[in-house]
Amino acid sequence: MKILVAIKRVVDHNVKIRVKSDGSGVDNSNAKMSMNPFDEIALEEAIRLKEAGKADEVVAVTVGGLAAQDVLRTALAMGADRAILIKADTIPEPLSVAKLLAAIARSETPDLMLFGKQAIDDDCNQTGQMTSALLGWSQATFVSHIVLDGDRARATREVDGGLQVIEVTLPSIMTVDLRLNEPRYASLPNIMKAKKKPLEEMNSADLGIDIAPRLRVIATEEPSGRKSGITLSGMSELIDKLKVEAGVL
Amino acid sequence: MAILLFADHDNDVLFDQTARAMTAALQIGGEIDVLIVGKNAQGAAQAASHLTGVRKVLLAEGDALEHRLAEASAALLVSLAPHYATLVAPATTSGKNIFPRVAAFLDVMQVSEIVEVVAPDTFKRPIYAGNAIQTVQVTDAKIIVTVRTANFTPTAQDGHAPVESIAISDTPPLSTFVENRFASSDRPELSSARLVISGGRALGSEENFRRLILPVADKLGAAVGASRAAVDAGYAPNDWQVGQTGKIVAPDLYLACGISGAIQHLAGMKDSKVIVAINKDADAPIFQVADYGVVGDIFDMLPELESKL
Ligand SMILES: Cc1cc2nc3c(=O)[nH]c(=O)nc-3n(C[C@H](O)[C@H](O)[C@H](O)COP(=O)(O)OP(=O)(O)OC[C@H]3O[C@@H](n4cnc5c(N)ncnc54)[C@H](O)[C@@H]3O)c2cc1C
């Protein structure tokens, strides 16, 4: 069993981003970058499946600039066996990323491909589902529990009403949710060892896939802010305000 | 050209999010058909036929469609797509699961979670947990959008569109349904409730969450939400999580109890009409978005609130 894990390098979740004043985008030139938190969970799951003897190989793959090597090194330090960087000048839209990843999946032929359910920068929540469509594979999104069983897998999904359990045939694509596991930190010896693990690079252009954007970004603006209100003395005053001033009770 | 609205429902009941996504579809403009995918879904289909502005309701029923699993639902949508310029779905877990699959089959880049229709091909959507709003224009031949329903009011229900059953083709399923673990509740549904009370890590245990939050919810007739920390710790079920990666809510009143106000949490509730925060830390970031703040201990405040309501 081989598991391919898709990883995106994003602005760290603790960074408060700044919108450029001319509306041309988000300024993250000096922001701390890290592995998308959901992708960390996906990778952790793959490594645990390998440690449990259910998988033999874990391959991490990302689409991005040369700088994205750092998240792949992190992936290798956490326990991935090898890594693939598909180089692109700017990070393409999810549809293009899905096409590139599908091309890698066709040559790597994994049994399972794991994704984070969404990237915390563009919040699109698309790439896993799109890759699954392009490959014609089964899909399980928002997964919080995985049980592998021969050529099938059972996935528990976090859905609006609660939890849904489905069974998928392999090969399959799963996108993972927060409560699947808690990712490990890479230890110093493993960070050192990761430097020797294979990291293959290729150009997105060599895969023969058109990655031109389909959406035209017209503007990027600050959300309309909320101003902080007033401090109240206690519950009686609160009830009074909600009834009389706000009229919501 | 026409719009196809993919409805979310549970076969019996049409979810309120569908009526909200319908409002977005009306703003895009054009003839609107609603697709009900399910099994024994007459109830949902009838409800959809009453949504104001619907041309007709398409009802696709079959065993493989009962739970709207992604592969079968997407295949059906793809087969209907040639008749429509625009496909719309509410950004519920169903819409988010199925629509990107449809978009990829059609070689279209989806616009996720629109919060405003600027023009029929141009939309606003939040990025970075709502810390920036992007305006994007679609250049593909087809338009595929999911709608952040908290930003649209439900459309009126005085229509009577015809319901038309459509044939489905049977393909061997790639995935099968095993079970839903849904807790039934008499409380209003979180995503569309008028009042929401949420609890955070401060509750300390599931027992405290139930003892302190639920009685206030019941007095108010409010839905119950939670922070990620509360859900991760097992104080509240996963479908109560509010935030960037949980549910997005915009009720008339959002009451945050023992929640610090991390950006990921604010992303899910900062469009609420009135926000109240109760927190013992006067510097908690939640107070920066709260209309009314009370600095105090929830273990004292919530029982008092309950008794005074
Ligand atoms: C990828 C990612 C996605 C995330 N998605 C979400 C999401 O969708 N939703 C979400 O909520 N979070 C999300 N988070 C987590 C988020 O960053 C915060 O960690 C989380 O919201 C904190 O929850 P909390 O406010 O309950 O806990 P804390 O931050 O620990 O805050 C507890 C608060 O309770 C107060 N308090 C303690 N005791 C009392 C008392 N007795 N009386 C009154 N007040 C008290 C404290 O002063 C504090 O302000 C996400 C994080 C990541 C990295």
Side-chain angles (χ1 to χ4, degrees):
Chain A
M1 153 93 55
K2 181 190 211 174
I3 306 178
L4 198 60
V5 185
I7 281 167
K8 186 177 187 184
R9 183 178 191 261
V10 298
V11 173
D12 187 84
H13 68 268
N14 288 313
V15 173
K16 172 103 176 66
I17 58 104
R18 268 192 40 239
V19 177
K20 290 185 195 160
S21 53
D22 64 357
S24 66
V26 167
D27 179 14
N28 51 25
S29 43
N30 294 314
K32 178 174 180 234
M33 306 294 285
S34 350
M35 190 186 303
N36 181 43
F38 289 96
D39 307 347
E40 253 182 321
I41 296 170
L43 179 66
E44 174 67 30
E45 193 66 13
I47 296 165
R48 288 187 191 188
L49 287 167
K50 188 180 167 192
E51 286 168 349
K54 302 252 163 66
D56 325 294
E57 192 184 20
V58 176
V59 183
V61 53
T62 193
V63 180
L66 262 185
Q69 281 180 341
D70 62 0
V71 293
L72 290 178
R73 287 287 167 211
T74 305
L76 294 168
M78 282 173 70
D81 297 294
R82 54 193 180 86
I84 303 170
L85 170 62
I86 308 171
K87 281 188 285 186
D89 296 337
T90 53
I91 295 193
E93 289 170 346
L95 180 63
S96 301
V97 172
K99 289 178 184 176
L100 295 167
L101 294 175
I104 297 296
R106 285 191 194 98
S107 61
E108 290 280 341
T109 61
D111 305 282
L112 180 64
M113 228 174 139
L114 297 178
F115 289 70
K117 77 162 177 181
Q118 77 192 65
I120 60 163
D121 51 3
D122 62 24
D123 281 330
C124 273
N125 194 335
Q126 299 174 349
T127 310
Q129 296 91 311
M130 287 181 159
T131 311
S132 176
L134 297 173
L135 292 166
W137 292 1
S138 64
Q139 81 178 44
T141 48
F142 324 141
V143 169
S144 62
H145 190 63
I146 301 173
V147 181
L148 296 178
D149 180 15
D151 61 352
R152 304 183 66 77
R154 199 170 263 235
T156 304
R157 310 179 50 228
E158 293 201 355
V159 296
D160 286 341
L163 297 172
Q164 179 177 74
V165 183
I166 63 170
E167 213 168 77
V168 297
T169 43
L170 300 182
S172 184
I173 282 184
M174 298 195 190
T175 78
V176 310
D177 218 315
L178 293 168
R179 280 165 282 277
L180 180 61
N181 61 48
E182 242 182 80
R184 70 193 66 192
Y185 291 100
S187 67
L188 196 58
N190 285 342
I191 292 172
M192 301 311 290
K193 269 191 247 163
K195 293 189 173 145
K196 298 206 187 71
K197 289 187 179 176
L199 195 164
E200 185 187 347
E201 287 179 16
M202 56 185 87
N203 289 310
S204 58
D206 297 340
L207 291 165
I209 289 162
D210 175 14
I211 58 168
R214 307 292 187 82
L215 299 181
R216 185 177 304 140
V217 178
I218 294 174
T220 306
E221 52 193 334
E222 294 262 10
S224 45
R226 273 190 99 97
K227 40 184 188 354
S228 61
I230 51 175
T231 304
L232 308 178
S233 59
M235 292 301 110
S236 301
E237 196 186 0
L238 175 63
I239 293 172
D240 183 61
K241 288 283 184 198
L242 293 178
K243 281 191 174 148
V244 179
E245 195 175 87
V248 291
L249 286 191
Chain B
M1 218 171 116
I3 298 174
L4 184 63
L5 170 62
F6 177 77
D8 205 353
H9 60 89
D10 67 1
N11 294 322
D12 287 334
V13 177
L14 187 74
F15 295 158
D16 169 79
Q17 286 100 318
T18 305
R20 292 170 184 263
M22 180 69 194
T23 300
L26 286 164
Q27 291 174 8
I28 294 169
E31 308 246 66
I32 302 167
D33 294 346
V34 178
L35 173 64
I36 303 281
V37 174
K39 189 183 168 191
N40 302 328
Q42 272 296 336
Q46 285 308 326
S49 74
H50 296 314
L51 294 179
T52 306
V54 174
R55 177 174 68 177
K56 66 181 180 218
V57 175
L58 305 179
L59 176 57
E61 294 181 292
D63 290 336
L65 299 176
E66 180 171 8
H67 300 284
R68 287 162 292 288
L69 296 188
E71 301 86 348
S73 305
L76 177 69
L77 276 154
V78 169
S79 73
L80 295 169
H83 308 293
Y84 299 93
T86 303
L87 305 182
V88 178
T92 56
T93 46
S94 246
K96 292 194 272 199
N97 184 33
I98 296 164
F99 256 45
R101 195 172 174 95
V102 175
F105 275 128
L106 297 173
D107 194 26
V108 170
M109 178 56 204
Q110 168 178 304
V111 186
S112 292
E113 305 220 19
I114 63 165
V115 293
E116 194 183 318
V117 177
V118 177
D121 65 349
T122 307
F123 309 94
K124 287 192 182 185
R125 63 174 305 267
I127 54 175
Y128 290 98
N131 286 303
I133 306 290
Q134 215 172 41
T135 306
V136 294
Q137 183 178 28
V138 178
T139 65
D140 283 309
K142 250 186 226 312
I143 296 170
I144 299 188
V145 300
T146 63
V147 177
R148 180 165 285 190
T149 52
N151 293 74
F152 296 86
T153 52
T155 179
Q157 316 213 351
D158 57 5
H160 2 248
V163 177
E164 194 178 288
S165 282
I166 56 172
I168 54 156
S169 64
D170 255 336
T171 42
L174 289 169
S175 59
T176 49
F177 171 81
V178 179
E179 61 170 331
N180 281 335
R181 294 190 209 132
F182 291 1
S184 61
S185 153
D186 297 333
R187 289 193 194 91
E189 208 279 311
L190 178 56
S191 303
S192 49
R194 203 177 67 78
L195 308 173
V196 173
I197 175 169
S198 283
R201 194 197 308 270
L203 272 304
S205 71
E206 182 184 4
E207 202 264 314
N208 288 342
F209 200 104
R210 298 197 169 268
R211 185 168 58 83
L212 291 164
I213 300 285
L214 302 193
V216 183
D218 292 338
K219 271 257 172 95
L220 290 170
V224 182
S227 71
R228 174 190 172 186
V231 176
D232 281 3
Y235 309 163
N238 66 280
D239 51 308
W240 291 5
Q241 182 178 315
V242 170
Q244 179 187 19
T245 56
K247 286 191 176 141
I248 312 288
V249 301
D252 287 350
L253 172 64
Y254 188 87
L255 185 53
C257 308
I259 292 178
S260 60
I263 51 170
Q264 294 90 356
H265 189 79
L266 300 184
M269 44 63 80
K270 69 180 158 63
D271 291 333
S272 304
K273 208 163 112 197
V274 175
I275 297 175
V276 173
I278 306 176
N279 196 305
K280 70 177 182 190
D281 173 8
D283 295 325
I286 189 79
F287 287 123
Q288 290 163 20
V289 299
D291 301 281
Y292 302 112
V294 181
V295 180
D297 191 325
I298 49 166
F299 288 87
D300 304 327
M301 296 290 166
L302 288 173
E304 188 189 333
L305 178 60
E306 197 260 338
S307 71
K308 288 189 169 151
L309 276 169

